[in-house]
Amino acid sequence: MIGGAGRGRRRASAPASLPTSTSARRTEHSVSCWYCDCKIYGFNDTLFGLGSKYARFMRGWFSIGVCFSLIALVGISLMLLWESIGVFYFRSGCLSDWLKNLLTSGHSISIMDTTIIIISTILSIAFHEFGHAIAAASEGVEIEYVAIFVAVLFPGAFVALNYDLLQNRPLFSMLRIYCAGIWHNVVLCAVCVLMTSLLPVLLYPLYVSGDGLMVSGIPRTSPLSEYLSAHDVILSVDGMKITRTDEWIKILNQDATAKSSDPEFLEGSQRYVATSSGKGYCVPDPWMDASKNLWQIRDKVPCPDELIAFEKAISNDSAIFTEKIGRGSGQKEVEGKYCLIAKDVVKLRKCGNGWQRTEDDGSSHACFEDEYCLVPALTPGFSWIEVSYAKPYSWGCLQRGGNLSSSSHATDNDLGQSPCEGSFVYVGDLLSAARSVRLSPYRPRWPLLFLADVPCILGNGLSSFIHASAALAVVNSLPVYYLDGEAILETSLSYISWFSRRQRHKILKVCRLVWTVLSVITFSRIFYSTTLFYGFV
């Protein structure tokens, strides 16, 4: 994928001389059925002059990179070996998940996200090779050319150096050159993480954060598109205020993965079964009587589209149970169900143990005597969430002069009564709903909507830089063919004096073969699982 410094000429003889005129011959191409590259000579003098000018500082800088790269090589190699051994014992290791997160940035596949990923990958590769070139120049090794290539379908780049000069340098100087690319990628990751943490401060003059999540994009195919639109602000989910995108994903994942073990218990002559939804509402008796009349009219036909089916629930310690209805009890099944309007039910007091409670929430979630706790009757694979949102940039809200800070403290009974705020209930697959909406923790201070997407683009760009640079650092730390890890391991073995040159060559050959095979297997599994994820989910 990425060739280290001088990797292209490691086993070839050095050229007689460098090109004498970079202006007359700036590029050179070579094309075959599986490989093509473009050699660029125009940067040679500039890079060599920059590295020579600050040689003393550069040597100290890249010496730090040697220590870090050696630790990374040993650590990541052992992790890969341990995980490969664990496969035979049917253990799933964390390295595959970590690499999968690095290699897939997690953005939706859109034109903007694809462009961001491509640009961040190209710049990360360029910064990697810039490290090799500057480190070589600081050691007095001349640069032959910078090459950009595509092998099969995989792009990459490498810096070709004068091999004779490189081999005549001390071992630690060679390590500084080989480790420079990994070190530069790590530094780029650190800079991007720092900028991400400082993003609220940098955007503070024009944007507000910490007061809900703004919808920066929602496709028409999204199951939430009928409730939300671009530039709406999500205030809370199930009564919990959210200010970060990871909170949105966490809450929806918790609701989607919550499964019941279906325990049963008897109360009198009735049998009850645990329900997967512990989110109940205290429904008054008159509402239940009206719904019962509707059931008698419709008999066994399900609730109309605008209504949701509910069941009676009772609490037993930490679980919520509903009455279990056996087959053949059609009339009893009708009596046990209630059709209610969801947007009216969500204004009622909550009951049950399925709600996300805050530390200062002292409510008992118990109903009065003239009320009964009803929970939604959900089909398997479906969940229930209650979302409160605001429309601070809608025409009605701007005419009213409303603002998000006032609406965010509205009570449940006030939601939906003004053009600035509202609430809805979504019943369905929460995982697909969570992935279909693009959210940003920043919103413009003024209704300048052309600036609304800037924080999202900056955040995604920094995230893509972190993923791309970290992936390059991890992959190049592995001692496999044609990557920096091979040269780092070979040079490091030269420090072990009790091994002969032939023994060092055998050790290098075995390590290179073993970790190449393990890497191919691991990345094939990651590619296969990623293809299944995006192809069938």
Side-chain angles (χ1 to χ4, degrees):
M1 181 177 179
I2 303 298
R7 306 303 300 148
R9 295 190 178 273
R10 173 160 292 276
R11 289 171 178 80
S13 60
S17 62
L18 297 176
T20 57
S21 177
T22 58
S23 60
R25 186 182 171 191
R26 287 185 175 273
T27 60
E28 184 179 279
H29 307 274
S30 61
V31 180
S32 65
C33 59
W34 65 274
Y35 177 87
C36 64
D37 64 17
C38 176
K39 301 180 179 66
I40 304 172
Y41 298 90
F43 299 127
N44 293 6
D45 296 337
T46 302
L47 293 174
F48 189 81
L50 182 62
S52 301
K53 183 177 181 180
Y54 303 99
R56 187 173 182 180
F57 168 77
M58 293 296 178
R59 289 169 185 167
W61 171 252
F62 290 116
S63 295
I64 302 174
V66 170
C67 300
F68 185 90
S69 299
L70 291 177
I71 296 174
L73 185 146
V74 175
I76 295 175
S77 299
L78 292 178
M79 290 173 61
L80 181 60
L81 180 61
W82 176 254
E83 180 165 311
S84 301
I85 296 175
V87 172
F88 296 99
Y89 296 94
F90 302 99
R91 290 201 311 260
S92 58
C94 61
L95 181 61
S96 294
D97 296 334
W98 182 39
L99 288 174
K100 183 177 179 180
N101 291 332
L102 289 179
L103 297 174
T104 57
S105 61
H107 302 317
S108 59
I109 304 302
S110 64
I111 296 177
M112 178 59 69
D113 291 330
T114 303
T115 303
I116 291 175
I117 292 173
I118 292 175
I119 293 176
S120 61
T121 302
I122 292 175
L123 293 180
S124 297
I125 293 175
F127 201 64
H128 179 102
E129 299 305 327
F130 176 76
H132 287 308
I134 293 297
S138 66
E139 300 292 342
V141 178
E142 295 175 323
I143 302 170
E144 294 184 5
Y145 56 82
V146 178
I148 302 173
F149 68 87
V150 176
V152 189
L153 295 177
F154 297 97
F158 64 89
V159 176
L161 306 175
N162 189 308
Y163 186 63
D164 288 340
L165 292 177
L166 180 62
Q167 290 298 103
N168 290 329
R169 303 304 300 168
L171 292 178
F172 198 75
S173 297
M174 296 172 63
L175 280 177
R176 279 196 288 256
I177 297 174
Y178 293 140
C179 297
I182 298 174
W183 176 235
H184 264 208
N185 283 133
V186 172
V187 172
L188 182 59
C189 287
V191 172
C192 291
V193 170
L194 179 61
M195 291 184 63
T196 301
S197 62
L198 295 178
L199 204 57
V201 179
L202 300 176
L203 297 175
Y204 180 79
L206 296 177
Y207 298 90
V208 177
S209 62
D211 199 0
L213 299 177
M214 190 185 72
V215 179
S216 59
I218 179 169
R220 293 182 180 180
T221 56
S222 170
L224 299 179
S225 60
E226 58 180 301
Y227 309 104
L228 298 171
S229 56
H231 307 136
D232 288 350
V233 178
I234 298 177
L235 302 176
S236 64
V237 176
D238 289 341
M240 291 285 294
K241 295 181 179 179
I242 56 176
T243 59
R244 303 193 310 269
T245 54
D246 59 332
E247 292 177 348
W248 163 265
I249 299 296
K250 180 180 179 181
I251 292 176
L252 267 63
N253 278 342
Q254 285 178 348
D255 286 343
T257 56
K259 295 183 180 179
S260 171
S261 57
D262 292 340
E264 297 183 9
F265 77 98
L266 296 176
E267 187 180 77
S269 60
Q270 305 294 331
R271 298 180 66 194
Y272 292 84
V273 61
T275 178
S276 60
S277 174
K279 301 174 183 178
Y281 299 87
C282 296
V283 179
D285 289 336
W287 289 30
M288 299 171 64
D289 294 337
S291 175
K292 189 180 300 183
N293 295 332
L294 176 64
W295 270 103
Q296 292 174 355
I297 295 174
R298 297 180 60 86
D299 195 21
K300 295 183 181 180
V301 180
C303 294
D305 294 337
E306 66 273 10
L307 302 179
I308 300 294
F310 286 81
E311 299 175 307
K312 285 185 178 181
I314 63 172
S315 177
N316 183 15
D317 296 332
S318 60
I320 292 294
F321 292 81
T322 57
E323 186 175 355
K324 183 176 182 179
I325 307 297
R327 294 184 178 181
S329 55
Q331 183 61 33
K332 193 172 184 180
E333 182 178 356
V334 170
E335 294 176 355
K337 305 288 185 178
Y338 301 89
C339 287
L340 300 173
I341 302 176
K343 65 180 181 180
D344 293 334
V345 173
V346 296
K347 300 177 184 178
L348 301 175
R349 294 191 315 108
K350 296 178 175 61
C351 59
N353 57 5
W355 301 102
Q356 301 284 344
R357 302 188 187 184
T358 57
E359 296 180 356
D360 56 350
D361 185 8
S363 60
S364 60
H365 287 195
C367 299
F368 297 133
E369 294 182 358
D370 59 342
E371 299 173 340
Y372 215 102
C373 185
L374 299 186
V375 296
L378 304 177
T379 57
F382 280 63
S383 300
W384 169 289
I385 58 168
E386 179 183 328
V387 180
S388 299
Y389 65 95
K391 294 179 174 291
Y393 306 111
S394 63
W395 178 248
C397 186
L398 293 175
Q399 276 189 324
R400 186 182 175 186
N403 56 71
L404 191 57
S405 60
S406 61
S407 64
S408 61
H409 299 288
T411 61
D412 291 340
N413 294 330
D414 294 333
L415 287 172
Q417 301 300 321
S418 75
C420 299
E421 57 201 31
S423 64
F424 66 88
V425 167
Y426 172 73
V427 179
D429 183 5
L430 296 188
L431 292 179
S432 61
R435 299 190 189 104
S436 64
V437 183
R438 295 182 51 169
L439 300 175
S440 173
Y442 305 95
R443 63 181 183 88
R445 292 184 177 272
W446 301 278
L448 304 175
L449 297 184
F450 65 92
L451 296 176
D453 295 331
V454 173
C456 184
I457 295 174
L458 289 177
N460 289 345
L462 292 174
S463 177
S464 295
F465 268 115
I466 294 173
H467 282 82
S469 293
L472 286 174
V474 170
V475 171
N476 278 279
S477 296
L478 294 172
V480 302
Y481 288 99
Y482 306 117
L483 298 184
D484 295 341
E486 176 193 7
I488 295 173
L489 178 61
E490 181 179 2
T491 307
S492 301
L493 289 175
S494 300
Y495 277 99
I496 305 177
S497 58
W498 60 81
F499 287 145
S500 64
R501 185 174 182 178
R502 185 175 181 181
Q503 289 174 330
R504 289 197 298 267
H505 179 70
K506 288 184 178 180
I507 294 174
L508 175 64
K509 186 176 181 180
V510 171
C511 292
R512 187 171 53 193
L513 178 61
V514 169
W515 267 274
T516 298
V517 173
L518 296 180
S519 300
V520 170
I521 295 174
T522 300
F523 286 107
S524 298
R525 290 172 53 196
I526 294 174
F527 179 77
Y528 178 72
S529 61
T530 303
T531 303
L532 288 179
F533 177 81
Y534 284 105
F536 298 99
V537 175

